[in-house]
Amino acid sequence: MSALFTPLSIRGIEMRNRLWVSPMCQYSAVDGVPNDWHHVHLAQFAAGGAGLVIAEATAVSPEGRISPEDAGIWTDAQAEAWAPIVAAIRARGAVAGVQLGHAGRKASTTSPLTGGRGTVAPEAGGWTTLAPSALAYDTFAEPVALDAAGIEKVVEDFADAARRAVAAGFEVVELHAAHGYLLHQFLSPLTNHRDDEYGGSFENRVRLLVRVTEAVRAATPDVVLFVRFSATDAAEGGWSVADTVAAARLVGAAGADLIDVSSGGLVPQQRIVTGPGYQVEYAATVRRETGLRVAAVGMIDDPALAENIVADDRADAVLSGREWLRDPHYGLRAAAALGADSPAPAQYTRAY
């Protein structure tokens, strides 16, 4: 039997296989509301055999968007727009998840679809960005350091967004604490220069993420909860794999069910060598050291590689992104390559 195409059940929610779709920003929403593009984009992966489809980084507040074109879930209207998309994913046999995020100092930026790169000024539809400390990312605008009330609002925004996600039908919620966005900015000493209870020591820097995890778990006690980490900043003096292991234990105790392990994104001077499966060993380390479920990600574009990662117990599941964009039926192709039972919809079975 194929390990990759063995079901995985968490909190009574069964993913039919362990080949999943990573959240991928589409920069195609209007006022945070998803539309027909998101519907077709996400539903095709479910028809293509994915076990879990995670919708893109979805902002928990207007100021949490990466760009003005980002999707959101800070209003009931946005949640209602997500509902038929979630239904379409589930109707095609996959579980629907959503990644909740706040971009922090990397917010209010130009959509890459326009070909630009930089901060969108308030007069052009952008906004003042927020961060743990008033330190700009690269050439972006300098953010404002969050005060105590602002931190409380972040916690409440994540909890409220999780409630709306569950109301829309999502069965998996992922907290985005990676890639240099707000929760990651609090974690790393490179971006967190605070001298209060949220800065300085490891215990203080991880405090906001633990509080958000606890708040989301309390608000949505039955949801399957993931936390995505960048395992390392890949920069001198930054967040490390050992830090990720320690933080994973804390969020696991706070209610997280699975750790989604990526890397980098915090500072432009990072040094990362990429290649097929280049982040898998980070996931394997977290799994081995904590006993928690983990998902591996990072150029896992070959079914045989994905199979080996799961079969060798280096990860409980595999997330891919660009390969699903290249081939929305990657799951069906992978099942055929591995000799597994095909998750093809009845309308497609003649091809398999």
Side-chain angles (χ1 to χ4, degrees), residues 328-350:
H329 292 165
Y330 177 37
L332 306 185
R333 174 164 55 85
L338 297 171
D341 290 340
S342 176
Q347 296 91 332
Y348 290 0
T349 53
R350 73 185 73 177

Side-chain angles (χ1 to χ4, degrees), residues 289-313:
E289 296 295 326
T290 68
L292 295 167
R293 297 183 186 90
V294 303
V297 64
M299 297 178 67
I300 305 172
D301 303 335
D302 175 34
L305 174 60
E307 171 73 15
N308 289 338
I309 291 166
V310 177
D312 292 345
D313 290 329

